[in-house]
Amino acid sequence: KNFKISKLPVAVILLVELCERLTYYTLAGTQKIYFQNQLLKTPSTAAALNSVFSMLCYFWCVPGGLLADSIGRYKTIIAAGSIYAIGTICVGISVIYELQASLGWLFMLGSLVLIAMGTGGIKPNIATFGADQIGDATEKQRQCQTTFFSLFYLSINIGVLIAFGFLTNTTTGGLPGVIPQEEGYSFAYGSGAGCMILAVLIFVGFTGSYTMLPG
């Protein structure tokens, strides 16, 4: 058989992964400083909370993978992506300069609960969902999968580069002449929220083009 691989769903999945990793690393890379400087936690407490965040993100991968086994990867990614996007909105609102002191609880809820759950549902499923679009029945498909995984890790690295090269620096410094220093967190986390909402909308928008395997 002559298999034709559809590039569009694969491209969408790569874009979703880029947005997700950009958002994740922007938060993970600045959360400790936010806890310390804005929410006035001790350095040890801030470091511990940041470690708890990382641990929870990996912990939720287990139920995220099990859920995909029962309802399928597509539905799991939609559900997790929606929870993730709501989490980023909570975090984005909680870091508005005038509200930081009073909305510390919302920052904790958004980051330690919703974003951790969301990334735990996406992380174990998005790469394999991308591979599902290609299949592995023929040698050509297997080669294509290898290329896909290379591009997948490239998209992660682009997301990390934007997060650490640009957004994390704006949190504490702002952008001279463009973003005031006190609104740095709003800009960085707001950008992350925008990326995640866009990722979910794009992923849902191309639903018709996916190959969906049952759970």
Side-chain angles (χ1 to χ4, degrees):
K1 280 183 177 179
N2 187 19
F3 285 96
K4 189 171 189 309
I5 291 154
S6 177
K7 294 183 178 69
L8 182 65
V10 174
V12 168
I13 288 159
L14 293 174
L15 182 63
V16 168
E17 179 63 11
L18 189 157
C19 290
E20 191 275 325
R21 291 287 84 186
L22 179 155
T23 307
Y24 173 82
Y25 282 108
T26 299
L27 179 63
T30 56
Q31 191 186 46
K32 177 176 174 284
I33 303 295
Y34 187 82
F35 277 134
Q36 218 170 300
N37 295 356
Q38 266 64 31
L39 300 185
L40 307 178
K41 307 284 185 193
T42 62
S44 57
T45 303
L49 285 167
N50 187 230
S51 297
V52 167
F53 170 69
S54 299
M55 181 273 291
L56 288 170
C57 288
Y58 284 100
F59 164 78
W60 280 107
C61 289
V62 178
L66 291 170
L67 182 64
D69 284 344
S70 59
I71 67 168
R73 291 183 184 120
Y74 170 78
K75 287 179 184 169
T76 305
I77 293 167
I78 296 272
S82 302
I83 292 168
Y84 199 134
I86 293 165
T88 61
I89 293 166
C90 290
V91 167
I93 293 168
S94 72
V95 298
I96 293 168
Y97 186 65
E98 296 79 15
L99 305 175
Q100 286 174 356
S102 59
L103 290 183
W105 65 272
L106 189 63
F107 182 82
M108 302 278 270
L109 172 72
S111 58
L112 296 179
V113 180
L114 299 174
I115 289 176
M117 283 174 71
T119 194
I122 292 173
K123 201 191 285 276
N125 296 311
I126 191 93
T128 40
F129 186 69
D132 289 346
Q133 309 311 307
I134 299 163
D136 60 359
T138 66
E139 185 56 38
K140 186 189 173 194
Q141 284 168 296
R142 287 189 286 274
Q143 284 174 354
C144 233
Q145 278 198 359
T146 305
T147 306
F148 164 73
F149 285 117
S150 298
L151 291 170
F152 186 80
Y153 287 105
L154 176 65
S155 68
I156 289 174
N157 288 329
I158 293 169
V160 172
L161 185 68
I162 297 168
F164 282 123
F166 175 58
L167 289 173
T168 55
N169 296 323
T170 63
T171 55
T172 49
L175 208 58
V178 186
I179 299 145
Q181 186 177 357
E182 64 270 16
E183 295 300 348
Y185 280 102
S186 294
F187 172 75
Y189 293 169
S191 299
C195 280
M196 211 50 228
I197 293 163
L198 182 68
V200 173
L201 292 175
I202 289 171
F203 188 77
V204 173
F206 287 95
T207 294
S209 64
Y210 302 134
T211 300
M212 292 189 216
L213 303 182

